[in-house]
Amino acid sequence: HYNCTIIGSSYDKQRIPCIDKTVSDGDTIKIGNCQGQIIFTPGHTSGHIVFYFPESAALFCGDTLFAGGCGRLFEGTAEQMFNSLQKLRSLPDNTKVYCAHEYTYNNYLFAHKQAPNNKEIKRRFNEVKLLRDNNKPTVPSLISEEKQSNLFIMAENSVKLYELRKAKDIF
């Protein structure tokens, strides 16, 4: 209807036939006057990519990283997700995280139950609760906030990430 160009991962070209332009890790794209970088982040799906715009300090991360969480492991492994989150963790602290869904309250409710003595998680949980109680969005967050309060991006290895994701899946 809008005659837009569909950009997708080269890994997904065969299974998503409507992709007009395929991209891979490290490619650059231009949308309007903004130049972005493609970061390959498998874990949620096997071909998952994110779009990072350094000049705007903006990350459009789909279902890899959420405010206070990460995506389910549908096609990928915990090791892939761990490595993908480490890539995103390395972005500048002022990077705004635009995730695909508003799961923030539930993510921090889970995190608070997992780590009730973590002061940053508690602070963020209270902040998110206040925002949602006032019908305000919690997205975007910042990479700096995620590094201090997101259990998944803070996980020390893929085994711990897998355990957390498994617990979150049934939470």
Side-chain angles (χ1 to χ4, degrees), residues 5-9 19-23 29 31 38 49 51:
T5 300
I6 307 299
I7 300 170
S9 173
I19 293 175
D20 298 313
K21 178 182 178 180
T22 59
V23 292
I29 59 165
I31 299 176
I38 302 300
I49 57 171
F51 300 82

Side-chain angles (χ1 to χ4, degrees), residues 3 6 14 26 37 39 52 72 78 86 89-90 96 101 109-110 129 136-137 140 142 144 149-151:
N3 197 29
I6 307 299
Q14 297 307 313
Q37 299 172 355
I39 303 172
Y52 172 56
R72 290 179 184 258
Q86 293 306 300
R89 180 185 173 86
S90 72
K96 294 175 287 299
H101 305 281
L109 181 61
F110 170 77
K129 184 175 180 341
K136 302 243 186 223
L142 293 171
S144 61
S149 65
N150 183 324
L151 292 175

Side-chain angles (χ1 to χ4, degrees), residues 1 3-6 20 24 26 45 49 60 65 78 80 89 91 108-110 112 116 125 137 140 145 150 164:
H1 179 76
N3 197 29
C4 60
T5 300
I6 307 299
D20 298 313
S24 299
T45 62
I49 57 171
F60 296 89
L65 176 64
Q80 287 175 316
R89 180 185 173 86
L91 294 174
Y108 279 106
L109 181 61
F110 170 77
H112 185 57
F125 174 66
E145 292 173 326
N150 183 324
L164 285 166

Side-chain angles (χ1 to χ4, degrees), residues 11-61:
Y11 289 91
D12 290 333
K13 181 61 177 169
Q14 297 307 313
R15 67 183 188 151
I16 304 175
C18 64
I19 293 175
D20 298 313
K21 178 182 178 180
T22 59
V23 292
S24 299
D25 191 49
D27 285 352
T28 58
I29 59 165
K30 191 161 184 173
I31 299 176
N33 292 326
C34 299
Q35 187 162 320
Q37 299 172 355
I38 302 300
I39 303 172
F40 181 53
T41 58
H44 178 65
T45 62
S46 57
H48 201 289
I49 57 171
V50 302
F51 300 82
Y52 172 56
F53 294 86
E55 287 183 28
S56 304
L59 172 69
F60 296 89
C61 51

